[in-house]
């Protein structure tokens, strides 16, 4: 198993209070916020494509469509 020595977050919203650069809790606050809102974090979308300009929401259905359109 390979351990990641440095945090790998690809989120570009550095002003977000949940961004890992703004606290010492890693991705947990972001994941918790998204799960509570029935959404998927932007990093999952960015793993599919860096261009998120067509997104209207970050829910599960939007992720499925985004994946199918950009895979």
């Amino acid at each position: 198993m390979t351990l990641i020595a440095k945090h790998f977050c690809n989120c570009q919203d550095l002003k977000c209070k949940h961004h890992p650069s703004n606290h010492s809790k890693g991705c947990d606050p972001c994941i918790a916020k998204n799960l509570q809102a029935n959404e998927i974090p932007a990093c999952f979308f960015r793993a599919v494509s860096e261009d998120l300009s067509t997104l209207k929401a970050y829910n599960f259905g939007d992720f499925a469509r985004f994946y199918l359109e950009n895979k």
Side-chain angles (χ1 to χ4, degrees), residues 16-68:
C16 176
K17 69 180 182 178
H18 302 294
H19 192 280
S21 67
N22 296 324
H23 54 77
S24 63
K25 298 177 183 173
C27 294
D28 288 0
C30 178
I31 300 289
K33 174 195 71 104
N34 281 280
L35 287 176
Q36 186 174 17
N38 289 317
E39 294 181 338
I40 295 179
C43 59
F44 282 67
F45 288 86
R46 286 194 185 286
V48 175
S49 172
E50 285 292 320
D51 182 8
L52 305 183
S53 64
T54 62
L55 285 176
K56 293 182 175 49
Y58 289 86
N59 61 45
F60 292 91
D62 288 307
F63 180 77
R65 280 186 290 282
F66 186 75
Y67 175 80
L68 291 173

